[in-house]
Amino acid sequence: MPHPLDEYPVHQAPLSMRQVVSSDRNFYDRSYFNAHDRTGDVFLITGLGVYPNLGVTDAYATVRKGGRQWVVRFSDALGDDRLAQRIGPYRIEVLDPLHKVRIVCEAPEHGIAFDLTWDGSYPPVDEPRHVVMSGDRVTLDGCRFAQVGTWSGELGVDGQDIRVDPAVWVGARDRSWGIRPVGEPEPPGRTADGAPGGFWWLYVPLRFEDFALVVIAQERADGTRTLNEAVRVWADGRHEQLGWPEVEISYRSGTRHPEHARIGLRAPGGRSLTLEVDTLGFAALFPAGYGAAGEEWRHGQWMGAGWVDGKVYDLDDPAVTGRLGFGVVDHVGRARFDGAEGWGLFEHATIGRHDPSGFADLSSVAP
């Protein structure tokens, strides 16, 4: 049967819009947003995804406030109206593409409710294509655009209403699509017998008063760089490439918690620049479906029709903090660059071995 989107001239392959070009079960199409008031005390992360080859759509919202983190998750069967980004009491409305987006979540019984409007401060950035291999198999092949901006509206956390003022509240968002591990975990097969590896990831989109800055880097266990980007974006849309990021991260003793980063960059013409970032409050991503072992839900997993679930995590509980070293963690970042102060996201993971950081295996921590 045709899909309603087949009425529109948006096709990019000789297929109905009911299908995606790849038959890989892991095809996904997803959004991500974060919002914070620059203190690190209140930190919202939320997003929505569709998984056409799994027939699933889902969404999540998680808020860290003080020493606790609330999360609400939604999952349902994927319907025909994919332009209506809605799952139960959660929805995303694109008011002005690439400029203004509204997100609404009405789940106060799970401690989270909001009606927020995003305004992009600078044009979005097309990131480099992201490819990851497991042996000879492609396990991640995606593209993404990123943008920094401001927020306005209301945020409710645990019964407390917070006014979100765009003069204070900032954040970053992205849209990504392609192939990445989603849904129920696949059997690892022979790859489980491979040598222990490592995963090192850094993603830093920052908003300054006159420009945006986006830094991305991914490395293998031996420090080989497999993804690299550093770009400054001006209000008129000009992009300024800033070379190869030279990253030094200071970790809290006895942990892999990043407290400070110093990133060397280079402007066109050869001028050396330094980005300094201090991390403030953080939010764990494993409650939000980002695939940590032991969590009962991950993106794309079929949970049954109309599934809604909520939890509260104590961020001082060793059972929670002990899991942070096995996944990506998002931090509020306060930055200094080229004489300006900025704010945004410092997203980082270092899992297993990473020679440049001095981590020999999963149990290694900073001295």
Side-chain angles (χ1 to χ4, degrees):
M1 293 291 292
H3 189 280
L5 283 173
D6 290 332
E7 291 276 21
Y8 300 91
V10 294
H11 296 84
Q12 297 191 49
L15 296 169
S16 165
M17 292 299 290
R18 186 175 298 280
Q19 299 171 270
V20 293
V21 172
S22 173
S23 62
D24 194 312
R25 70 182 295 279
N26 291 320
F27 189 90
Y28 80 104
D29 198 336
R30 192 160 69 208
S31 61
Y32 162 95
F33 301 86
N34 67 58
H36 61 83
D37 64 355
R38 312 188 194 203
T39 67
D41 185 61
V42 182
F43 192 14
L44 164 68
I45 300 171
T46 186
L48 179 148
V50 302
Y51 313 91
N53 293 337
L54 299 176
V56 173
T57 182
D58 51 38
Y60 66 89
T62 186
V63 181
R64 182 253 175 85
K65 184 176 184 295
R68 295 198 291 170
Q69 184 172 331
W70 288 258
V71 65
V72 59
R73 296 89 71 100
F74 313 91
S75 182
D76 210 339
L78 180 61
D80 277 347
D81 189 2
R82 291 189 2 222
L83 291 181
Q85 300 182 71
R86 180 167 194 156
I87 308 172
Y90 184 100
R91 69 183 186 273
I92 297 176
E93 301 172 8
V94 180
L95 305 179
D96 185 4
L98 304 181
H99 295 282
K100 187 183 291 286
V101 179
R102 181 188 182 203
I103 55 173
V104 178
C105 179
E106 298 168 333
E109 68 276 19
H110 294 292
I112 299 177
F114 53 77
D115 186 339
L116 298 170
T117 298
W118 159 273
D119 282 284
S121 299
Y122 302 100
V125 175
D126 271 325
E127 299 179 5
R129 189 159 176 174
H130 191 184
V131 178
V132 175
M133 307 285 290
S134 177
D136 293 330
R137 182 189 178 189
V138 174
T139 55
L140 192 156
D141 184 1
C143 65
R144 180 167 66 179
F145 71 74
Q147 189 176 33
V148 300
T150 61
W151 291 97
S152 59
E154 298 289 334
L155 169 63
V157 186
D158 194 30
Q160 178 186 357
D161 293 329
I162 301 171
R163 177 175 173 263
V164 175
D165 182 349
V168 176
W169 281 75
V170 296
R173 71 159 180 145
D174 66 60
R175 285 278 294 110
S176 66
W177 55 94
I179 294 166
R180 67 185 297 169
V182 294
E184 293 76 7
E186 296 181 77
R190 190 182 70 82
T191 60
D193 292 332
F199 174 76
W200 186 93
W201 166 257
L202 183 68
Y203 178 56
V204 190
L206 298 165
R207 180 186 181 276
F208 297 82
E209 286 303 311
D210 297 320
F211 57 87
L213 185 65
V214 179
V215 175
I216 308 166
Q218 182 173 322
E219 296 180 357
R220 297 192 181 106
D222 63 0
T224 301
R225 185 76 56 90
T226 59
L227 184 68
N228 194 81
E229 176 77 321
V231 61
R232 174 161 36 183
V233 183
W234 302 93
D236 61 6
R238 286 180 296 125
H239 285 201
E240 183 183 25
Q241 294 290 330
L242 298 176
W244 183 277
E246 298 286 351
V247 182
E248 300 175 13
I249 297 179
S250 300
Y251 296 95
R252 182 178 300 162
S253 180
T255 75
R256 295 197 187 190
H257 178 89
E259 295 186 317
H260 179 81
R262 186 178 188 276
I263 303 174
L265 302 171
R266 190 170 297 276
R271 181 167 65 101
S272 294
L273 297 167
T274 300
L275 171 65
E276 303 269 359
V277 184
D278 293 309
T279 62
L280 305 179
F282 69 88
L285 288 187
F286 69 80
Y290 284 84
E295 195 66 18
E296 67 274 20
W297 174 73
R298 53 186 279 160
H299 298 149
Q301 185 172 342
W302 177 239
M303 304 299 292
W307 180 76
V308 181
D309 176 66
K311 283 189 173 183
V312 183
Y313 295 81
D314 179 355
L315 296 178
D316 294 320
D317 182 351
V320 175
T321 58
R323 299 176 65 184
L324 298 178
F326 298 92
V328 176
V329 178
D330 283 1
H331 306 258
V332 172
R334 179 177 60 206
R336 294 170 299 282
F337 178 72
D338 206 13
E341 182 179 50
W343 302 85
L345 173 69
F346 187 89
E347 182 177 272
H348 184 49
T350 176
I351 305 168
R353 175 184 151 218
H354 187 242
D355 295 346
S357 301
F359 300 137
D361 52 34
L362 276 173
S363 64
S364 299
V365 294

